[in-house]
Amino acid sequence: MESHQVVSVDEKEEISMEEPLILIKRNPDSKGGVRTLPFIIANEAFERLASQGIQPNMVIYLTKQYGLSAAEAANVLFLWSAATDFFPIVGAFMADSYVGRFRMIAFGSLVSLLGMVLLWLTTIIPQARPTTCNQFMCSSEYSATKSQLLYLYSCFGLMSIGAGGIRSSSIAFGADQIIDQKRRNNNDSNNNNAGTLRTFFSWYYVSTTVSVLGAVSCVVYVQNNWGWKVGFGVPALLMLFSAISFFLASPFYVIPKANKSLLTGFAQVLVATYKNRDISLSPCGTNELMYYHIKGSMPKPSEKLRFLNKACIIRNPQQDLTQDGRASDPWSICAVNQVEELKVLIKAIPIWLAGVFLAVVVNQSSFPVLQATSMNRHITSNFEVPAGSFSVFSMISMILCIVLYDRIIIPVLSKIKGKTVSLSLKNRMGIGIFFSCMSMSAAAVVECIRREMAIKQGFSENPQGVVSMSAVLWLLPQNMLLGLALGLSSISQIEFFYSELPKTMSSIASSLFLLGMSVGDLIASLIMSTVDDISKRGNQESWVSSNINKGHYDYYCWLLAGLSFFNFVYFIVCSKAYGPCQREGSENFDGDQ
């Protein structure tokens, strides 16, 4: 038998490397606990209610009040949404490495409030926007000036930065209150601790979902019936409540210090790999090298992505290690588990990319509003559904999908089979991607019918004309299908990253989904700009024209449906290449193939 040479450090180093302990200065008898959680949950719930309430009708505000074309307004919203989903990554890094979670949430709350107040002022101060706009459109001769657009975009930027500060740290900060109280009370019951955390996570996601539902229904309704001044003033007031709710419990929070970021560890692996690039790796199956590892962890690296193994190879124990067995220079030699964590992240990237294009479909928020605006939205003679509120049907569909799957379908099938069964995470993601393709196909069919009817009814030159089609009945299928896609794929992505990535990478796992949404927004903006540029060549009407009746949004939807189908095929290939999930239960409908 070949002997394998390893060098390890003591248990103390193992604890500090795998799950760094955070030193906290506090009065241990009066800090943290469940009593602080409602304030943390309310902070993000009000922030979501405020920010999501502004977005649905923003395309109308930009086109009618600032004179932007439909394509320009859509691109602005894509970039705004991308920034909002990207800044939580920056916020998480800053909170973990420099300022701490409390300060990051506090900063985010104040900056978001400032951005919303400044946006509200655009409805009050005449000089903040073009003054020749009527309720339908702005004259191109009097479109927004550069200074007016700069002011407007600054408001968007402040709201995105603020959202990044809050959303990057809320869940982790709430968990800090629970975990630290258990530790102080010498409560070693992992079941009790896990149960409290699950309850917190459940209420957290329920509150944010309810907030979004309230935003796309109540806040949008206020904008449509009381105008922009009240419609943007209400979100600013809600954001004030968000900030107040967080600061009210300040004396009772456990406030962890900033700690070393996992991103630094990844950078160390890459740098150490480059520094050791001249080392020749031993053939697979042989054990001729010494690896630096932590006691109790993997003694040697896996054979996948072998070039990264150079980061944990010990050249000279006397030079590479200190007397107590620690790495003398963490930028020249890394622990095996540190290398493996980066490998796991790299392995998950192809699956993540499939979720990115799902985000392209999910983030098509501008066109559905224009589509709904041109259709009959009356449910009764006295009640009209706001055009920006139709996404509520997607959210209802998503909630029903989750409830039916977890509470009815799985229990019934498990009872029939006599054992616990479920769809694997990858299967749920794949089915969700397929539903996104079906949603875009349904949208294309409906838009083709709507456009033909608009032309027949004489609305070819009038984009404000309302065709005699029930928006509720015709737009319901695509919204329900989109909700199923969200309920199956998006939530499964979060579960997948949490289950597959090491526990030390929980913050990275939660951020990957938001990062995918951000990249999806950028790709959606690129597709929109490319389609607009190509389709209007030769003096042709753009597919995504501001006049929805002269454009061809049906072609645009078919393009997205086709790309979604290729994404579905790509996901199947990546899923097969990834292999079985390591931490998912084995009792699935098909064994997680």
Side-chain angles (χ1 to χ4, degrees):
M1 261 180 95
E2 295 179 292
S3 61
H4 178 65
Q5 294 178 289
V6 297
V7 176
S8 64
V9 295
D10 56 19
E11 293 287 349
K12 182 177 179 180
E13 173 69 4
E14 176 185 359
I15 294 175
S16 64
M17 287 286 291
E18 290 198 74
E19 189 173 353
L21 299 178
I22 302 174
L23 299 178
I24 306 170
K25 294 181 179 180
R26 62 187 182 275
N27 180 353
D29 296 326
S30 61
K31 301 289 186 178
V34 177
R35 62 179 175 174
T36 61
L37 299 185
F39 298 93
I40 298 172
I41 292 176
N43 172 251
E44 179 153 355
F46 279 123
E47 186 275 327
R48 295 270 184 156
L49 184 59
S51 60
Q52 296 293 331
I54 290 176
Q55 290 182 3
N57 277 337
M58 185 55 69
V59 64
I60 299 175
Y61 188 69
L62 293 178
T63 54
K64 292 184 177 180
Q65 298 298 317
Y66 280 83
L68 299 183
S69 68
E72 289 173 336
N75 279 331
V76 169
L77 296 183
F78 281 139
L79 295 175
W80 179 27
S81 181
T84 302
D85 289 331
F86 174 76
F87 275 112
I89 306 294
V90 179
F93 174 76
M94 295 294 293
D96 288 343
S97 304
Y98 302 106
V99 301
R101 297 185 183 112
F102 173 81
R103 291 182 179 178
M104 180 54 62
I105 298 174
F107 170 79
S109 299
L110 295 176
V111 173
S112 284
L113 176 60
L114 176 61
M116 290 188 185
V117 170
L118 293 177
L119 179 65
W120 175 53
L121 291 178
T122 64
T123 67
I124 298 176
I125 303 175
Q127 294 78 10
R129 68 184 191 281
T131 57
T132 57
C133 295
N134 58 34
Q135 62 176 333
F136 297 109
M137 65 185 65
C138 284
S139 170
S140 59
E141 184 180 354
Y142 298 98
S143 59
T145 63
K146 291 182 179 180
S147 59
Q148 289 171 337
L149 290 176
L150 179 62
Y151 179 89
L152 178 69
Y153 298 157
S154 297
C155 298
F156 293 158
L158 288 171
M159 287 187 287
S160 295
I161 293 171
I166 295 173
R167 299 176 191 181
S168 65
S169 304
S170 287
I171 293 181
F173 189 65
D176 289 337
Q177 314 306 310
I178 299 170
I179 295 173
D180 189 78
Q181 186 187 50
K182 297 290 184 181
R183 186 183 299 133
R184 288 188 284 105
N185 293 337
N186 295 320
N187 188 338
D188 296 327
S189 174
N190 291 330
N191 291 333
N192 291 339
N193 193 31
T196 307
L197 285 174
R198 280 196 301 269
T199 301
F200 166 64
F201 292 150
S202 298
W203 279 107
Y204 177 88
Y205 284 114
V206 166
S207 66
T208 54
T209 302
V210 171
S211 296
V212 175
L213 284 172
V216 299
S217 55
C218 299
V219 178
V220 170
Y221 182 82
V222 169
Q223 293 169 358
N224 288 357
N225 289 274
W226 280 282
W228 298 115
K229 291 182 181 179
V230 178
F232 284 174
V234 169
L237 184 62
L238 291 171
M239 194 60 231
L240 177 62
F241 291 157
S242 172
I244 291 175
S245 65
F246 180 73
F247 287 112
L248 274 177
S250 296
F252 307 108
Y253 290 138
V254 170
I255 303 179
K257 288 184 177 181
N259 198 29
K260 181 181 178 181
S261 172
L262 189 63
L263 295 178
T264 303
F266 291 157
Q268 290 173 342
V269 172
L270 296 176
V271 171
T273 301
Y274 178 77
K275 287 183 176 180
N276 297 332
R277 62 188 182 278
D278 58 328
I279 297 179
S280 298
L281 295 173
S282 59
C284 296
T286 62
N287 301 308
E288 300 174 355
L289 299 171
M290 291 189 297
Y291 299 103
Y292 171 54
H293 83 290
I294 296 169
K295 187 175 181 180
S297 64
M298 292 179 62
K300 65 176 182 177
S302 64
E303 293 300 322
K304 295 181 179 180
L305 300 173
R306 295 184 74 232
F307 69 96
L308 292 175
N309 294 349
K310 296 181 179 182
C312 56
I313 293 176
I314 300 174
R315 294 172 180 256
N316 187 328
Q318 285 73 32
Q319 295 180 358
D320 294 340
L321 304 177
T322 62
Q323 293 182 352
D324 59 355
R326 301 170 185 266
S328 57
D329 180 9
W331 293 92
S332 296
I333 184 170
C334 303
V336 170
N337 67 309
Q338 196 175 346
V339 173
E340 290 302 309
E341 286 175 352
L342 180 57
K343 287 183 178 182
V344 172
L345 180 61
I346 294 175
K347 184 182 176 183
I349 287 177
I351 300 291
W352 173 78
L353 289 174
V356 167
F357 198 83
L358 174 69
V360 173
V361 175
V362 171
N363 293 332
Q364 297 293 325
S365 58
S366 301
F367 162 65
V369 174
L370 298 176
Q371 190 180 38
T373 302
S374 65
M375 301 172 72
N376 180 10
R377 293 175 279 116
H378 283 91
I379 295 180
T380 67
S381 58
N382 297 322
F383 180 74
E384 184 181 47
V385 179
S389 294
F390 275 83
S391 58
V392 73
F393 295 115
S394 299
M395 298 176 194
I396 293 174
S397 174
M398 179 183 69
I399 294 173
L400 289 176
C401 173
I402 296 171
V403 172
L404 289 174
Y405 178 79
D406 288 337
R407 301 299 179 184
I408 298 178
I409 296 177
I410 295 303
V412 170
L413 290 177
S414 298
K415 187 174 182 180
I416 293 175
K417 289 199 169 187
K419 63 178 182 178
T420 302
V421 295
S422 65
L423 276 173
S424 71
L425 291 175
K426 290 190 294 178
N427 282 338
R428 275 185 275 164
M429 281 189 278
I431 296 173
I433 293 173
F434 178 76
F435 276 131
S436 71
C437 176
M438 297 299 295
S439 175
M440 279 294 100
S441 300
V445 171
V446 171
E447 175 55 20
C448 181
I449 297 173
R450 188 212 62 79
R451 183 178 180 276
E452 290 181 359
M453 186 170 293
I455 294 174
K456 288 180 180 179
Q457 295 178 3
F459 295 136
S460 178
E461 300 295 334
N462 180 16
Q464 305 300 323
V466 177
V467 299
S468 56
M469 293 175 63
S470 172
V472 175
L473 294 179
W474 282 93
L475 300 183
L476 186 62
Q478 66 193 60
N479 281 285
M480 296 296 286
L481 288 168
L482 186 60
L484 292 175
L486 287 168
L488 289 169
S489 187
S490 298
I491 295 177
S492 298
Q493 281 185 66
I494 299 174
E495 292 184 31
F496 173 80
F497 295 134
Y498 262 104
S499 63
E500 290 299 291
L501 273 61
K503 295 301 180 184
T504 53
M505 299 173 64
S506 295
S507 60
I508 297 295
S510 63
S511 299
L512 281 175
F513 177 73
L514 290 176
L515 181 61
M517 296 294 288
S518 176
V519 176
D521 276 315
L522 295 176
I523 295 176
S525 177
L526 177 62
I527 293 174
M528 173 73 76
S529 298
T530 303
V531 169
D532 182 49
D533 182 63
I534 294 177
S535 61
K536 67 184 181 183
R537 292 177 180 175
N539 295 322
Q540 298 293 317
E541 190 73 26
S542 170
W543 287 5
V544 290
S545 170
S546 298
N547 186 340
I548 191 173
N549 297 327
K550 295 184 69 176
H552 269 289
Y553 279 92
D554 50 342
Y555 295 171
Y556 178 68
C557 290
W558 280 122
L559 173 64
L560 292 179
L563 294 175
S564 295
F565 179 76
F566 282 113
N567 185 48
F568 175 66
V569 175
Y570 163 80
F571 176 80
I572 292 176
V573 174
C574 291
S575 179
K576 294 291 184 181
Y578 187 91
C581 296
Q582 296 178 1
R583 302 188 183 186
E584 190 173 34
S586 59
E587 294 181 339
N588 299 309
F589 288 139
D590 56 9
D592 192 19
Q593 295 300 317

